[in-house]
Amino acid sequence: MQLSSALAFSHALMNQVVNPGDHVIDATVGNGHDTVYLAKLVGTTGHVDGFDIQPAAIAATTKALTTAGFNHQATLWQTGHEHIADKIAADEPIKCAVFNLGYLPGGDKSIITKPTTTLTAIKAIQERLVTNGLIILLVYAGHPGGAAEAKAVLDYATSLDQHQFQVLQYQFVNQVHVPPYLLAIQKR
Protein backbone atom coordinates (compact mmCIF):
# COMPACT_ATOMS: atom_id res chain seq x y z
CA MET A 1 0.00 0.00 0.00
CA GLN A 2 1.15 3.52 -0.75
CA LEU A 3 -0.20 6.60 1.02
CA SER A 4 -2.36 8.81 -1.19
CA SER A 5 -1.52 12.38 -2.08
CA ALA A 6 -3.76 15.07 -0.62
CA LEU A 7 -5.44 15.40 -4.03
CA ALA A 8 -6.11 11.66 -4.34
CA PHE A 9 -7.41 11.59 -0.77
CA SER A 10 -9.80 14.45 -1.60
CA HIS A 11 -11.25 12.32 -4.40
CA ALA A 12 -11.62 9.36 -2.04
CA LEU A 13 -13.59 11.59 0.33
CA MET A 14 -15.77 12.89 -2.51
CA ASN A 15 -16.46 9.30 -3.57
CA GLN A 16 -17.67 8.48 -0.07
CA VAL A 17 -20.00 11.44 0.40
CA VAL A 18 -21.33 12.55 -3.01
CA ASN A 19 -24.22 10.63 -4.57
CA PRO A 20 -26.28 11.02 -7.74
CA GLY A 21 -28.76 13.87 -7.30
CA ASP A 22 -26.66 15.85 -4.82
CA HIS A 23 -25.93 19.57 -5.05
CA VAL A 24 -22.21 20.33 -4.66
CA ILE A 25 -19.83 23.26 -5.02
CA ASP A 26 -16.41 23.67 -6.60
CA ALA A 27 -15.37 26.91 -4.91
CA THR A 28 -12.23 27.33 -7.07
CA VAL A 29 -12.80 25.72 -10.48
CA GLY A 30 -9.29 26.35 -11.79
CA ASN A 31 -8.77 24.14 -14.84
CA GLY A 32 -11.99 22.20 -14.20
CA HIS A 33 -10.66 18.85 -13.00
CA ASP A 34 -12.62 18.75 -9.73
CA THR A 35 -15.67 20.30 -11.39
CA VAL A 36 -15.79 17.45 -13.93
CA TYR A 37 -15.13 14.89 -11.18
CA LEU A 38 -18.01 16.26 -9.10
CA ALA A 39 -20.32 16.44 -12.13
CA LYS A 40 -19.67 12.77 -12.78
CA LEU A 41 -20.49 11.91 -9.16
CA VAL A 42 -23.76 13.90 -8.98
CA GLY A 43 -24.95 12.49 -12.31
CA THR A 44 -27.68 13.93 -14.48
CA THR A 45 -30.01 14.53 -11.53
CA GLY A 46 -27.49 16.49 -9.45
CA HIS A 47 -25.85 19.86 -9.87
CA VAL A 48 -22.44 21.50 -9.49
CA ASP A 49 -22.02 25.22 -8.87
CA GLY A 50 -18.50 26.35 -9.74
CA PHE A 51 -16.82 29.63 -8.84
CA ASP A 52 -13.68 31.39 -10.06
CA ILE A 53 -12.71 35.03 -10.58
CA GLN A 54 -10.54 34.37 -13.61
CA PRO A 55 -11.98 34.24 -17.13
CA ALA A 56 -9.30 31.69 -18.12
CA ALA A 57 -10.49 29.34 -15.36
CA ILE A 58 -14.12 29.62 -16.43
CA ALA A 59 -13.15 29.02 -20.07
CA ALA A 60 -10.99 25.99 -19.21
CA THR A 61 -13.70 24.52 -16.98
CA THR A 62 -16.42 25.12 -19.58
CA LYS A 63 -14.30 23.29 -22.14
CA ALA A 64 -13.58 20.41 -19.74
CA LEU A 65 -17.28 20.03 -18.84
CA THR A 66 -18.31 20.13 -22.51
CA THR A 67 -15.66 17.59 -23.52
CA ALA A 68 -16.83 15.24 -20.74
CA GLY A 69 -20.50 15.81 -21.61
CA PHE A 70 -21.36 17.30 -18.21
CA ASN A 71 -21.99 20.96 -19.05
CA HIS A 72 -25.76 20.57 -18.58
CA GLN A 73 -25.38 19.73 -14.87
CA ALA A 74 -23.09 22.58 -13.89
CA THR A 75 -23.41 26.32 -13.46
CA LEU A 76 -20.22 28.35 -13.55
CA TRP A 77 -20.00 31.74 -11.87
CA GLN A 78 -17.21 34.12 -12.84
CA THR A 79 -17.01 35.62 -9.39
CA GLY A 80 -15.12 34.98 -6.20
CA HIS A 81 -16.22 32.20 -3.88
CA GLU A 82 -17.01 34.83 -1.26
CA HIS A 83 -20.21 35.40 -3.28
CA ILE A 84 -21.59 31.89 -2.75
CA ALA A 85 -24.29 33.29 -0.45
CA ASP A 86 -25.42 35.62 -3.25
CA LYS A 87 -25.70 32.81 -5.81
CA ILE A 88 -27.01 29.83 -3.82
CA ALA A 89 -30.19 30.10 -1.75
CA ALA A 90 -29.79 29.87 2.01
CA ASP A 91 -32.14 26.87 2.15
CA GLU A 92 -30.36 24.94 -0.64
CA PRO A 93 -28.81 21.77 0.84
CA ILE A 94 -25.16 21.29 -0.11
CA LYS A 95 -23.59 17.84 0.22
CA CYS A 96 -19.97 18.69 -0.55
CA ALA A 97 -17.78 21.66 -1.40
CA VAL A 98 -14.20 21.59 -2.66
CA PHE A 99 -11.53 24.29 -2.53
CA ASN A 100 -8.06 24.28 -4.09
CA LEU A 101 -6.47 27.27 -2.41
CA GLY A 102 -3.65 29.23 -3.99
CA TYR A 103 -3.35 30.23 -7.64
CA LEU A 104 -4.55 28.90 -10.99
CA PRO A 105 -2.06 26.28 -12.23
CA GLY A 106 -0.50 27.67 -15.41
CA GLY A 107 -2.01 31.09 -14.69
CA ASP A 108 -0.98 34.38 -13.12
CA LYS A 109 0.63 33.46 -9.78
CA SER A 110 -0.11 36.93 -8.40
CA ILE A 111 -3.86 36.17 -8.43
CA ILE A 112 -4.38 34.04 -5.33
CA THR A 113 -7.14 33.05 -2.96
CA LYS A 114 -7.23 35.21 0.17
CA PRO A 115 -7.98 34.42 3.82
CA THR A 116 -10.96 36.78 4.15
CA THR A 117 -12.75 35.61 1.01
CA THR A 118 -12.05 31.95 1.70
CA LEU A 119 -13.39 32.19 5.26
CA THR A 120 -16.49 34.02 4.01
CA ALA A 121 -17.10 31.18 1.54
CA ILE A 122 -16.53 28.45 4.13
CA LYS A 123 -19.04 30.07 6.49
CA ALA A 124 -21.65 30.42 3.73
CA ILE A 125 -21.26 26.74 2.83
CA GLN A 126 -21.44 25.68 6.49
CA GLU A 127 -24.90 27.26 6.69
CA ARG A 128 -26.06 25.13 3.74
CA LEU A 129 -24.17 21.92 4.50
CA VAL A 130 -26.28 18.83 5.19
CA THR A 131 -25.56 16.45 8.06
CA ASN A 132 -22.47 14.38 7.17
CA GLY A 133 -21.73 16.78 4.31
CA LEU A 134 -18.11 17.78 3.70
CA ILE A 135 -16.09 20.89 2.97
CA ILE A 136 -12.77 19.75 1.50
CA LEU A 137 -9.91 22.22 1.32
CA LEU A 138 -6.64 21.52 -0.46
CA VAL A 139 -4.34 24.06 1.16
CA TYR A 140 -1.28 25.16 -0.81
CA ALA A 141 0.92 27.24 1.49
CA GLY A 142 4.22 27.43 -0.42
CA HIS A 143 3.53 30.53 -2.52
CA PRO A 144 3.61 34.20 -1.41
CA GLY A 145 0.45 34.77 0.64
CA GLY A 146 -0.21 31.04 1.00
CA ALA A 147 1.10 30.66 4.55
CA ALA A 148 -1.15 33.47 5.84
CA GLU A 149 -4.21 31.89 4.23
CA ALA A 150 -3.26 28.43 5.51
CA LYS A 151 -2.92 29.78 9.05
CA ALA A 152 -6.27 31.61 8.90
CA VAL A 153 -8.11 28.56 7.55
CA LEU A 154 -6.48 26.17 10.03
CA ASP A 155 -7.14 28.53 12.94
CA TYR A 156 -10.79 28.79 11.93
CA ALA A 157 -11.20 25.04 11.42
CA THR A 158 -9.65 24.18 14.76
CA SER A 159 -11.99 26.63 16.50
CA LEU A 160 -15.15 24.88 15.27
CA ASP A 161 -17.33 23.26 17.95
CA GLN A 162 -16.56 19.54 17.92
CA HIS A 163 -20.20 18.78 18.66
CA GLN A 164 -21.24 20.44 15.39
CA PHE A 165 -18.29 19.67 13.11
CA GLN A 166 -15.48 17.15 12.80
CA VAL A 167 -12.25 18.45 11.28
CA LEU A 168 -9.59 16.23 9.74
CA GLN A 169 -6.11 17.32 8.65
CA TYR A 170 -4.26 15.05 6.20
CA GLN A 171 -0.66 16.06 5.62
CA PHE A 172 2.78 14.71 4.85
CA VAL A 173 5.09 16.20 7.47
CA ASN A 174 8.58 15.16 6.31
CA GLN A 175 8.67 16.68 2.81
CA VAL A 176 11.48 19.00 1.68
CA HIS A 177 9.15 21.48 0.00
CA VAL A 178 5.76 22.67 1.21
CA PRO A 179 3.33 20.03 -0.08
CA PRO A 180 -0.38 20.77 -0.04
CA TYR A 181 -2.41 19.39 2.80
CA LEU A 182 -6.06 18.60 3.11
CA LEU A 183 -8.61 19.84 5.61
CA ALA A 184 -12.00 18.14 5.70
CA ILE A 185 -14.81 19.74 7.69
CA GLN A 186 -17.78 17.43 8.23
CA LYS A 187 -21.08 18.59 9.66
CA ARG A 188 -22.41 16.36 12.43
Side-chain angles (χ1 to χ4, degrees):
M1 182 198 90
Q2 188 172 7
L3 293 173
S4 298
S5 68
L7 179 62
F9 188 58
S10 75
H11 287 187
L13 292 174
M14 288 181 231
N15 290 341
Q16 291 179 30
V17 74
V18 179
N19 297 304
D22 285 339
H23 189 172
V24 299
I25 295 171
D26 186 346
T28 53
V29 300
N31 288 312
H33 303 297
D34 283 340
T35 315
V36 169
Y37 196 82
L38 287 166
K40 180 179 178 183
L41 292 175
V42 301
T44 58
T45 58
H47 197 76
V48 181
D49 276 290
F51 294 81
D52 210 295
I53 61 170
Q54 296 186 67
I58 297 298
T61 302
T62 299
K63 181 178 180 182
L65 286 165
T66 301
T67 300
F70 295 137
N71 56 327
H72 59 282
Q73 60 216 56
T75 302
L76 300 180
W77 304 95
Q78 188 181 325
T79 189
H81 51 225
E82 70 272 22
H83 297 289
I84 285 172
D86 301 330
K87 303 297 183 186
I88 299 175
D91 61 349
E92 181 64 35
I94 299 299
K95 188 69 167 287
C96 183
V98 179
F99 291 75
N100 280 280
L101 302 180
Y103 55 85
L104 175 64
D108 183 345
K109 292 181 181 180
S110 70
I111 302 173
I112 60 171
T113 54
K114 308 257 195 240
T116 55
T117 60
T118 298
L119 292 175
T120 298
I122 291 169
K123 291 171 187 175
I125 294 165
Q126 280 180 266
E127 294 171 6
R128 293 157 176 79
L129 202 61
V130 301
T131 300
N132 296 322
L134 277 180
I135 300 172
I136 301 167
L137 299 114
L138 282 163
V139 181
Y140 294 82
H143 63 280
E149 183 175 38
K151 181 181 181 334
V153 170
L154 186 59
D155 287 350
Y156 177 75
T158 57
S159 76
L160 292 172
D161 182 341
Q162 69 177 1
H163 297 101
Q164 295 178 358
F165 296 94
Q166 297 187 98
V167 180
L168 169 76
Q169 183 174 359
Y170 181 85
Q171 177 178 21
F172 291 97
V173 296
N174 67 335
Q175 303 296 307
V176 175
H177 299 289
V178 183
Y181 66 87
L182 179 140
L183 286 177
I185 301 170
Q186 184 176 47
K187 185 174 183 178
R188 290 183 180 255

